Amino acid sequence: VQLQASGGGLVQAGGSLRLSCAASGGSNYAMGWFRQAPGKEREFVAAISWRGIIIKYADSVKGRFTISRDNVKNTIFLQMNSLKPEDTAIYYCATNSYMDRLERGDSGSWGQGTLVTVSS
């Protein structure tokens, strides 16, 4: 599966951004978002099952971020509201047939990521 993330940019604290990730190849997989801030390890952000029935979020983004998917377009989205400076990171999308493996960061591909910068 090849992944192409987009939608990052510079936004002020309290603002919003919507990320997209288009997948090519494969089917019936969970998809999710991870992020990596400068000098930090990559961390889980959110994941959604193939049919969108199971959705999980990191505690740090619950209530602010919403993950969704469009299986016709093989695309997932991450609506990010009430952004904080600590949300600044490169955001990567990821896939795995199993949600629990995806949450642990087990993904066959990561793509190039998209940079989100939140200014204070």
Side-chain angles (χ1 to χ4, degrees):
V1 178
Q2 292 186 326
L3 304 171
Q4 180 72 40
S6 61
L10 174 63
V11 63
Q12 288 188 332
S16 299
L17 281 175
R18 189 187 194 216
L19 306 184
S20 300
C21 175
S24 59
S27 63
N28 294 339
Y29 40 74
M31 293 187 71
W33 292 95
F34 286 73
R35 66 187 182 186
Q36 187 167 19
K40 295 188 177 181
E41 293 187 352
R42 186 159 50 197
E43 64 176 1
F44 170 77
V45 175
I48 184 168
S49 61
W50 169 247
R51 288 187 168 83
I53 296 173
I54 302 173
I55 293 176
K56 296 188 178 182
Y57 296 99
D59 288 343
S60 59
V61 306
K62 280 181 181 177
R64 300 188 299 122
F65 291 9
T66 301
I67 188 171
S68 60
R69 69 188 297 162
D70 180 340
N71 286 344
V72 174
K73 297 180 180 179
N74 283 338
T75 300
I76 62 168
F77 306 95
L78 187 68
Q79 178 65 43
M80 306 186 295
N81 299 329
S82 302
L83 282 162
K84 305 175 182 179
E86 51 262 45
D87 294 318
T88 295
I90 299 175
Y91 284 70
Y92 299 89
C93 50
T95 71
N96 196 295
S97 297
Y98 303 96
M99 280 282 283
D100 57 346
R101 295 179 185 178
L102 179 59
E103 284 183 78
R104 292 196 297 267
D106 183 359
S107 176
S109 58
W110 290 95
Q112 88 290 354
T114 186
L115 177 62
V116 172
T117 304
V118 184
S119 62
S120 56

XYZ file of all heavy atoms in Angstrom, residues 1-9 18-24 31-35 74-78 80 89-95 109-116:
315
model
N 0.838 -1.181 0.000
C 0.000 0.000 0.000
C 0.887 1.249 0.000
O 1.796 1.375 0.806
C -0.931 0.034 1.228
C -1.758 1.310 1.228
C -1.821 -1.196 1.257
N 0.597 2.145 -0.912
C 1.315 3.415 -0.933
C 0.423 4.498 -0.335
O -0.770 4.540 -0.593
C 1.711 3.774 -2.367
C 2.769 2.846 -2.942
C 3.245 3.303 -4.307
O 2.478 3.847 -5.082
N 4.515 3.090 -4.582
N 1.033 5.371 0.468
C 0.282 6.388 1.189
C 0.785 7.774 0.829
O 1.991 8.000 0.745
C 0.418 6.171 2.700
C -0.009 4.788 3.206
C 0.385 4.623 4.662
C -1.502 4.603 3.034
N -0.155 8.700 0.665
C 0.183 10.081 0.334
C -0.596 11.005 1.256
O -1.805 11.170 1.106
C -0.162 10.373 -1.120
C 0.160 11.798 -1.566
C 1.639 12.025 -1.705
O 2.372 11.152 -2.187
N 2.104 13.186 -1.279
N 0.110 11.604 2.213
C -0.528 12.507 3.163
C -0.429 13.944 2.663
O 0.552 14.320 2.018
C 0.132 12.386 4.528
N -1.434 14.736 2.989
C -1.440 16.142 2.599
C -2.309 16.935 3.561
O -3.028 16.357 4.384
C -1.967 16.294 1.170
O -3.299 15.819 1.077
N -2.234 18.274 3.435
C -3.112 19.127 4.223
C -2.439 19.860 5.368
O -3.076 20.664 6.046
N -1.172 19.583 5.600
C -0.469 20.263 6.671
C -0.246 21.734 6.350
O -0.480 22.189 5.240
N 0.215 22.473 7.351
C 0.476 23.886 7.155
C 0.756 24.585 8.462
O 0.930 23.941 9.504
N -7.289 20.260 8.306
C -7.810 18.958 7.917
C -6.767 18.246 7.069
O -6.414 18.709 5.986
C -9.107 19.110 7.125
C -9.818 17.784 6.869
C -10.995 17.974 5.955
N -11.877 16.812 5.938
C -12.515 16.379 4.857
N -12.343 17.004 3.703
N -13.315 15.333 4.929
N -6.308 17.122 7.579
C -5.330 16.310 6.859
C -6.045 15.234 6.052
O -7.097 14.747 6.461
C -4.351 15.663 7.829
C -3.606 16.578 8.802
C -2.611 15.749 9.619
C -2.921 17.707 8.089
N -5.422 14.859 4.934
C -5.930 13.770 4.114
C -4.809 12.780 3.845
O -3.634 13.163 3.801
C -6.443 14.302 2.767
O -7.488 15.221 2.939
N -5.184 11.530 3.653
C -4.205 10.514 3.282
C -4.864 9.588 2.268
O -5.834 8.897 2.588
C -3.743 9.723 4.492
S -2.629 8.362 4.057
N -4.309 9.590 1.078
C -4.822 8.733 0.014
C -3.983 7.466 -0.051
O -2.750 7.523 -0.044
C -4.763 9.472 -1.317
N -4.667 6.323 -0.108
C -3.992 5.030 -0.173
C -4.212 4.402 -1.541
O -5.303 4.497 -2.105
C -4.515 4.114 0.924
N -3.193 3.760 -2.038
C -3.328 3.040 -3.301
C -2.869 1.603 -3.108
O -1.843 1.356 -2.471
C -2.500 3.718 -4.393
O -1.135 3.755 -4.037
N -6.727 2.062 9.077
C -5.799 3.154 8.778
C -5.727 4.093 9.961
O -6.662 4.163 10.781
C -6.245 3.925 7.534
C -6.171 3.104 6.253
S -6.509 4.073 4.768
C -5.035 5.102 4.669
N -4.634 4.806 10.044
C -4.492 5.689 11.186
C -3.475 6.780 10.955
O -2.844 6.856 9.896
N -3.327 7.610 11.961
C -2.389 8.730 11.940
C -1.419 8.619 13.115
O -1.814 8.290 14.240
C -3.134 10.060 12.039
C -3.957 10.392 10.838
C -5.289 10.147 10.657
C -3.504 11.030 9.643
N -5.694 10.583 9.423
C -4.616 11.148 8.776
C -2.278 11.530 9.211
C -4.535 11.732 7.520
C -2.193 12.118 7.962
C -3.313 12.210 7.126
N -0.195 8.925 12.821
C 0.850 9.047 13.831
C 1.507 10.405 13.634
O 1.349 11.039 12.598
C 1.895 7.934 13.658
C 1.417 6.587 14.113
C 0.484 5.870 13.374
C 1.896 6.020 15.288
C 0.030 4.629 13.789
C 1.456 4.772 15.711
C 0.527 4.082 14.962
N 2.255 10.839 14.618
C 2.981 12.092 14.470
C 4.329 11.995 15.159
O 4.503 11.238 16.104
C 2.179 13.268 15.027
C 1.954 13.230 16.530
C 1.013 14.351 16.948
N 0.807 14.389 18.392
C -0.056 15.188 19.002
N -0.811 16.034 18.280
N -0.177 15.168 20.304
N -10.602 5.629 -1.069
C -9.436 5.077 -0.355
C -8.659 6.173 0.359
O -7.427 6.258 0.278
C -8.498 4.350 -1.331
C -9.019 2.990 -1.712
O -9.826 2.395 -0.997
N -8.591 2.492 -2.848
N -9.391 6.986 1.075
C -8.794 8.151 1.733
C -9.276 8.249 3.176
O -10.445 7.967 3.462
C -9.164 9.431 0.979
O -8.677 9.354 -0.363
C -8.550 10.661 1.642
N -8.362 8.619 4.059
C -8.769 8.942 5.426
C -8.502 10.422 5.667
O -7.706 11.049 4.964
C -8.052 8.092 6.489
C -6.537 8.331 6.469
C -8.395 6.633 6.325
C -5.818 7.747 7.687
N -9.174 10.936 6.675
C -9.065 12.345 7.009
C -8.813 12.491 8.507
O -9.197 11.635 9.303
C -10.356 13.087 6.636
C -10.769 12.883 5.206
C -11.690 11.895 4.872
C -10.239 13.657 4.202
C -12.072 11.688 3.559
C -10.613 13.464 2.876
C -11.528 12.472 2.560
N -8.199 13.599 8.870
C -8.032 13.935 10.275
C -8.399 15.402 10.436
O -7.651 16.287 10.019
C -6.599 13.688 10.758
C -6.391 13.867 12.256
C -7.125 12.753 13.023
C -4.913 13.851 12.614
N -8.597 18.415 12.640
C -7.920 18.837 13.858
C -8.418 20.222 14.250
O -8.215 21.192 13.507
C -6.401 18.862 13.630
C -5.845 17.552 13.116
S -4.043 17.537 13.029
C -3.773 18.793 11.777
N 4.141 18.856 14.577
C 4.812 17.591 14.261
C 4.641 17.293 12.783
O 3.850 17.945 12.093
C 4.216 16.453 15.087
N 5.383 16.292 12.324
C 5.097 15.705 11.020
C 4.076 14.612 11.247
O 4.276 13.741 12.105
C 6.362 15.138 10.356
C 7.390 16.250 10.136
C 6.005 14.478 9.027
C 8.720 15.754 9.603
N 2.999 14.663 10.506
C 1.925 13.691 10.641
C 2.024 12.657 9.512
O 2.104 13.017 8.327
C 0.570 14.394 10.616
C 0.251 15.096 11.907
C 0.947 16.236 12.291
C -0.723 14.601 12.773
C 0.678 16.871 13.498
C -1.000 15.225 13.974
C -0.293 16.362 14.331
O -0.558 16.977 15.535
N 2.011 11.395 9.910
C 2.105 10.294 8.969
C 0.843 9.441 9.036
O 0.276 9.259 10.115
C 3.286 9.394 9.325
C 4.638 10.053 9.304
C 5.142 10.673 10.444
C 5.426 10.040 8.156
C 6.395 11.269 10.436
C 6.676 10.628 8.145
C 7.149 11.239 9.284
O 8.396 11.829 9.264
N 0.444 8.907 7.895
C -0.635 7.932 7.927
C -0.037 6.534 7.806
O 1.091 6.367 7.319
C -1.678 8.193 6.851
S -1.038 8.432 5.197
N -0.790 5.566 8.259
C -0.300 4.197 8.336
C -1.455 3.223 8.148
O -2.623 3.599 8.324
C 0.369 3.969 9.684
N -1.119 1.988 7.802
C -2.147 0.969 7.610
C -1.724 -0.359 8.221
O -0.534 -0.656 8.334
C -2.436 0.719 6.111
O -1.313 0.027 5.525
C -2.672 1.994 5.359
N 3.745 0.649 5.419
C 4.286 1.830 4.746
C 3.871 3.066 5.526
O 2.886 3.049 6.270
C 3.769 1.901 3.308
O 2.367 1.940 3.272
N 4.628 4.155 5.329
C 4.360 5.378 6.091
C 4.161 6.590 5.197
O 3.594 7.564 5.599
C 5.508 5.658 7.058
C 5.558 4.681 8.171
C 6.314 3.541 8.251
C 4.786 4.722 9.374
N 6.065 2.887 9.435
C 5.142 3.586 10.139
C 3.843 5.620 9.879
C 4.574 3.323 11.383
C 3.270 5.367 11.125
C 3.648 4.220 11.855
N 4.658 6.597 4.049
C 4.567 7.792 3.219
C 5.507 8.874 3.713
O 6.274 8.674 4.656
N 5.425 10.040 3.099
C 6.391 11.096 3.396
C 5.939 12.007 4.538
O 6.716 12.779 5.059
C 6.648 11.956 2.139
C 5.691 13.121 1.950
C 4.287 12.672 1.585
O 4.026 11.496 1.359
N 3.365 13.606 1.528
N 4.700 11.902 4.950
C 4.200 12.738 6.041
C 3.866 14.146 5.576
O 4.217 14.574 4.479
N 3.160 14.866 6.449
C 2.821 16.263 6.174
C 3.053 17.067 7.450
O 2.679 16.632 8.544
C 1.362 16.385 5.670
O 1.101 17.733 5.282
C 0.349 15.936 6.705
N 3.684 18.224 7.310
C 4.104 19.009 8.475
C 2.989 19.926 8.952
O 2.413 20.690 8.177
C 5.331 19.849 8.118
C 5.855 20.789 9.202
C 6.306 20.001 10.431
C 6.993 21.637 8.653
N 2.719 19.839 10.243
C 1.766 20.725 10.900
C 2.532 21.571 11.905
O 3.225 21.038 12.765
C 0.665 19.923 11.617
C -0.213 20.849 12.456
C -0.176 19.160 10.605
